[in-house]
Amino acid sequence: MGGFSVVMIVMVALVVFTIFKGVRIVPQGYKWIVQRLGKYHQTLEPGLNIIIPYVDDVAYKLTTKDIVLDIPSQEVITRDNVVIIANAVAYISIVQPEKAVYGIEDYEHGIRNLVQTSLRSIIGEMDLDSALSSRDHIKALLKQAISEDIADWGITLKTVEIQDINPSDTMQTAMEEQAAAERQRRATVTRADGQKQAAILEADGRLEASRRDAEAQVVLAKGSEESIRLITQAMGKEEMPVVYLLGEQYIKAMRELAESDNAKTVVLPADILSTVKGMVGNKFKP
């Protein structure tokens, strides 16, 4: 192979390499930053692009698709001095690649720090109960706090989600003990209320029973009075029916007394008729 051939091969290789350097195909979902002599020159869009070889250089290749950034867990102190563990995840999109690469050294690191700092600031102004129950509110405040800052870097914050907000181990133990004590207190109150209601119902029952017993005695007394009156009207001045009626009641009372638990021995008078008459006195005498 002669010297001419070698030169031709070198020239052809140089031409091919030059074309390769000058013709750039950017894939969909990406944007490339081109620097000319070390200075920003242009941003290549997806598709076929021509640049000046050896003068222009593709310095950065950035994706325009959404980027998911995990925000590491960190300890956050609430307004009532409770330590909780919180982390998040942010969804961002690069809309101006030149600002993202020239505006900050590492935009992912910067956004993570911003989210962590804002999260501590927001939760620090809330008490524990509010922090544990206000994820949507924290999310809205967090998005509002960092959207304007990262806009200067050509980055849009699509959304940020709070993954976990958990009390520390010590605080979680204290909360569990507090919850157990509260449940025990409620159980005690419920038991006391139940006993109170039972006592009230029992007293109401005794009152109603006593009232009905009294009414029953009145009815019985009126019945006895009416029966005596009717017998007396029927028999005129004869005293035997009345004496018989009273004697019957007397014997019934003595039988109930004999059957009671405290009864020992009951002796009935031999002359019940005289006894009844003695109880009635002179009422039936003419």
Side-chain angles (χ1 to χ4, degrees), residues 98-119:
E98 60 276 11
K99 289 187 177 181
V101 297
Y102 297 116
I104 184 172
E105 183 68 26
D106 186 345
Y107 62 85
E108 291 189 359
H109 181 67
I111 292 174
R112 286 193 178 95
N113 281 340
L114 271 178
V115 173
Q116 287 185 310
T117 304
S118 301
L119 192 59

Side-chain angles (χ1 to χ4, degrees), residues 133-153:
S133 59
S134 306
R135 290 193 178 203
D136 291 339
H137 182 59
I138 295 174
K139 169 186 170 182
L141 293 177
L142 196 58
K143 185 175 181 180
Q144 181 181 1
I146 64 178
S147 292
E148 186 175 352
D149 292 335
I150 67 174
D152 294 337
W153 303 334

Side-chain angles (χ1 to χ4, degrees), residues 149-181:
D149 292 335
I150 67 174
D152 294 337
W153 303 334
I155 298 174
T156 298
L157 177 66
K158 294 295 186 64
T159 185
V160 57
E161 298 289 343
I162 306 299
Q163 284 188 309
D164 296 310
I165 298 180
N166 299 318
S168 61
D169 294 340
T170 303
M171 189 60 203
Q172 190 168 0
T173 302
M175 291 176 65
E176 291 175 354
E177 292 177 354
Q178 181 180 5

Side-chain angles (χ1 to χ4, degrees), residues 14 24 35 40 55 71 82 89 92 102 117 125 132 138-139 165 171 173 202 214 227 242 253 260 268 274 281:
L14 182 60
R24 293 302 177 95
Q35 294 183 160
Y40 171 74
V55 176
I71 311 301
V82 176
V89 57
I92 63 173
Y102 297 116
T117 304
E125 297 177 353
L132 295 178
I138 295 174
K139 169 186 170 182
I165 298 180
M171 189 60 203
T173 302
E202 184 178 358
S227 63
V242 178
S260 64
L268 294 177
S274 299

Side-chain angles (χ1 to χ4, degrees), residues 203-216:
D204 289 343
R206 291 198 304 270
L207 177 62
E208 184 64 21
S210 299
R211 184 181 295 113
R212 291 182 180 273
D213 287 341
E215 292 176 357

Side-chain angles (χ1 to χ4, degrees), residues 74-86 123 126-128 131-132 165-173 175:
Q74 60 175 336
E75 291 186 350
V76 183
I77 301 176
T78 61
R79 184 171 57 188
D80 47 354
N81 296 322
V82 176
V83 178
I84 62 176
I85 308 298
I123 295 180
M126 308 171 69
D127 54 27
L128 175 62
L132 295 178
I165 298 180
N166 299 318
S168 61
D169 294 340
T170 303
M171 189 60 203
Q172 190 168 0
T173 302
M175 291 176 65

